C-alpha cells in the first residue's frame, strides 16, 4: 500500500463541516465540494501527472465519505474529476480549476432556471407548506415573488435540527408571510396550503424522492388532503447508480441530535434512532421541477439516461492498475 498524498486544509475542513452539518443541504454541499477540489488543485505540489491525479482522487474520496445520501456530492466529484485532463501538472491543474468554476456556475444557473419553472406553478395568493430547508425550493418562491405574486408559507420546524428556522428566516427576507408550526401539526394545516413544496437530496430512477425525514409522511397526508406535492430538484440530484438497481443509502445520524444524554438516561433503557432522510414513492409526487422543465416522477428516468447514460463512473477511486503499480505489483 502507498501513503495517500497530502490533502489541502480546505478539503479536510470542508469534509469536517459537511459531516457536522455546518455545511448542509444538497446543492450547498456540492458547491463546497467543488471549491475544496479547486483548493486541492491549486495547492497540490505533485511532481508529475500521476501524483497530481492521485492527490485529486484522494481529495475526492475524503469528501465522498462524509454524507452518503446527498448524491449531489458524488455528482460534483464526477463532473470535476471527470474533466481532469492533461499531460503535465499545470495542464491538469488548469483543467480541474476550469471544471470547478464551470460546475459552480452551472449550479447557480440551474437553481435560477428551475426557480422560474417552479414559480409558474404558483398562483398569486397561494400558500406553500415547506419541510426542512432547500435552496432549490426557495428559488421557486423567490421567482414567484419576483413575478409579483403574493405567496404565504406554512413552515414545518423539521426536528431534530430545526432547518425550518432557516427556511422561515429566508422567506421573511423575501417578504413572504410565514407561519411556523411543529412537525406534528402539518396535517391540520394542510387544509390551508395550496402546495407542498420540498427539495430533494437524491431522486431515484423510479422517481422516488429522497429528502429530509418526514417528507414521505407529509406527502401521504397531502395526497389525502388533495394538496399537490412539488419537488424542486436540479438535475444534480438525479442518482445515476439507481439506474442499475442500486438503492440510495439513508444516512443514520447520532442519537444526541434527538435527545441529550441526561434526558435519555432519565427515561431508562431505550433505543434512539435518527434517520436523516426518507423516500417518498413517486405516486405521492405531482411534479419534479428541474432546470430542464417539470417532470412527472415516473418520467425522470428519461432525463437521467440522457445525462448519465447507463452507468455512473467513480473517478475518485484508484484505477486498479495504477494502485497495483504504486503498490509495487509486478507489471503484466
Ligand atoms: C437537507 C434537505 C434538503 C435537500 C435539498 O437535509 O433535506 O431538502 O438537501 O436542499 P440536511 P437544496 O439538512 O440534512 O442537509 O435544495 O438546498 O439542495
Amino acid at each position: 500500500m502507498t501513503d495517500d498524498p497530502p490533502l489541502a486544509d480546505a478539503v479536510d475542513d470542508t469534509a469536517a463541516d459537511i459531516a457536522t452539518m455546518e455545511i448542509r443541504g444538497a446543492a450547498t454541499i456540492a458547491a463546497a465540494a467543488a471549491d475544496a477540489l479547486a483548493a486541492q488543485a491549486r495547492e497540490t505540489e505533485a511532481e508529475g501527472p500521476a501524483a497530481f491525479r492521485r492527490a485529486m482522487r484522494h481529495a475526492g474520496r475524503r469528501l465522498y465519505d462524509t454524507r452518503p445520501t446527498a448524491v449531489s456530492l458524488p455528482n460534483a466529484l464526477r463532473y470535476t474529476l471527470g474533466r481532469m485532463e492533461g499531460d503535465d501538472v499545470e495542464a491538469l491543474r488548469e483543467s480541474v480549476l476550469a471544471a470547478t468554476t464551470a460546475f459552480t456556475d452551472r449550479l447557480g444557473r440551474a437553481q435560477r432556471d428551475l426557480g422560474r419553472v417552479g414559480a409558474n406553478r404558483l398562483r398569486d395568493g397561494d400558500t406553500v407548506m415547506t419541510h426542512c430547508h432547500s435552496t432549490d425550493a426557495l428559488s421557486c418562491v423567490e421567482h414567484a415573488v419576483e413575478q409579483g405574486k403574493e405567496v404565504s408559507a406554512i413552515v414545518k420546524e423539521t426536528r431534530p435540527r430545526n432547518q425550518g428556522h432557516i427556511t422561515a428566516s429566508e422567506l421573511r427576507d423575501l417578504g413572504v408571510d410565514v407561519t411556523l408550526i411543529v412537525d406534528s401539526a402539518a396535517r391540520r394545516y394542510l387544509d390551508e396550503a395550496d402546495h407542498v413544496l420540498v427539495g430533494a437530496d437524491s431522486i431515484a430512477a423510479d422517481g422516488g424522492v429522497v429528502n429530509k425525514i418526514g417528507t414521505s409522511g407529509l406527502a401521504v397526508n397531502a395526497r389525502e388532503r388533495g394538496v399537490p406535492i412539488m419537488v424542486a430538484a436540479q438535475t444534480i440530484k438525479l442518482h445515476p447508480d439507481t439506474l442499475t438497481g442500486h438503492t440510495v443509502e439513508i444516512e443514520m445520524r447520532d442519537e444526541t441530535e434527538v435527545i441529550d444524554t441526561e434526558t435519555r438516561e432519565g427515561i431508562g433503557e431505550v433505543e434512539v434512532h435518527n434517520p436523516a432522510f426518507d423516500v417518498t414513492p413517486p405516486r405521492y409526487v405531482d411534479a419534479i421541477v428541474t432546470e430542464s422543465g417539470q417532470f412527472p416522477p415516473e418520467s425522470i428516468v428519461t432525463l437521467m439516461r440522457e445525462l448519465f447514460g447507463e452507468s455512473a463512473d467513480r473517478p475518485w477511486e484508484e484505477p486498479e492498475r495504477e494502485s497495483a503499480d504504486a503498490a509495487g505489483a509486478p507489471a503484466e
Side-chain angles (χ1 to χ4, degrees), residues 21 24-27 67 132-136 163 199-201 211-212 237 277:
M21 291 178 62
R24 50 147 298 281
R67 290 191 83 187
C132 197
H133 168 257
S134 155
T135 53
D136 282 351
Q163 290 94 328
D201 281 82
N211 193 49
K212 179 55 54 189
K237 315 289 179 63
F277 302 100

Side-chain angles (χ1 to χ4, degrees), residues 57-306:
R57 287 195 293 265
H58 183 211
R61 288 195 298 281
R62 175 79 178 94
L63 294 162
Y64 176 77
D65 286 338
T66 50
R67 290 191 83 187
T69 307
V71 73
S72 55
L73 177 50
N75 280 347
L77 304 179
R78 273 186 190 108
Y79 187 97
T80 49
L81 297 181
R83 283 167 177 73
M84 175 165 67
E85 58 187 18
D87 296 330
D88 57 53
V89 169
E90 275 325 302
L92 286 163
R93 199 188 316 275
E94 284 311 312
S95 70
V96 172
L97 292 176
T100 51
T101 304
F103 179 78
T104 312
D105 290 349
R106 198 183 133 134
L107 270 182
R109 210 169 37 245
Q111 193 161 78
R112 284 191 295 280
D113 289 350
L114 80 81
R116 279 187 210 104
V117 178
N120 291 337
R121 292 180 62 88
L122 304 179
R123 292 157 308 177
D124 189 28
D126 273 356
T127 298
V128 297
M129 183 178 285
T130 66
H131 184 61
C132 197
H133 168 257
S134 155
T135 53
D136 282 351
L138 283 174
S139 177
C140 301
V141 178
E142 184 179 351
H143 282 86
V145 170
E146 270 176 29
Q147 290 171 356
K149 295 172 184 165
E150 199 167 307
V151 179
S152 308
I154 299 168
V155 173
K156 295 177 72 210
E157 63 179 353
T158 317
R159 277 270 291 151
R161 294 184 69 109
N162 292 323
Q163 290 94 328
H165 296 183
I166 310 170
T167 301
S169 157
E170 292 185 2
L171 285 170
R172 284 304 302 137
D173 290 345
L174 294 174
V176 169
D177 279 346
V178 171
T179 305
L180 187 67
I181 59 169
V182 296
D183 295 312
S184 41
R187 187 163 179 273
R188 177 189 165 107
Y189 281 87
L190 274 168
D191 287 342
E192 295 174 25
D194 301 293
H195 308 262
V196 163
L197 172 59
V198 294
D201 281 82
S202 290
I203 309 248
D206 69 352
V209 172
V210 187
N211 193 49
K212 179 55 54 189
I213 188 80
T215 304
S216 65
L218 175 61
V220 172
N221 280 333
R223 177 52 50 84
E224 184 242 357
R225 287 296 209 234
V227 180
I229 299 128
M230 157 163 40
V231 175
Q234 50 184 296
T235 52
I236 195 181
K237 315 289 179 63
L238 301 179
H239 205 310
D241 288 343
T242 60
L243 282 168
T244 48
H246 292 281
T247 50
V248 178
E249 183 185 344
I250 300 291
E251 177 187 8
M252 297 295 287
R253 294 192 60 87
D254 199 88
E255 59 192 41
T256 53
E257 289 184 344
V258 176
I259 191 167
D260 65 75
T261 310
E262 196 185 337
T263 312
R264 185 199 160 134
E265 283 170 4
I267 294 171
E269 182 119 341
V270 284
E271 291 230 3
V272 179
H273 289 186
N274 185 17
F277 302 100
D278 64 21
V279 184
T280 303
R283 65 183 177 278
Y284 294 108
V285 175
D286 290 276
I288 299 178
V289 169
T290 77
E291 72 274 23
S292 305
Q294 64 170 358
F295 293 81
E298 292 80 4
S299 71
I300 205 78
V301 65
T302 318
L303 184 60
M304 207 180 269
R305 284 215 171 90
E306 251 171 52

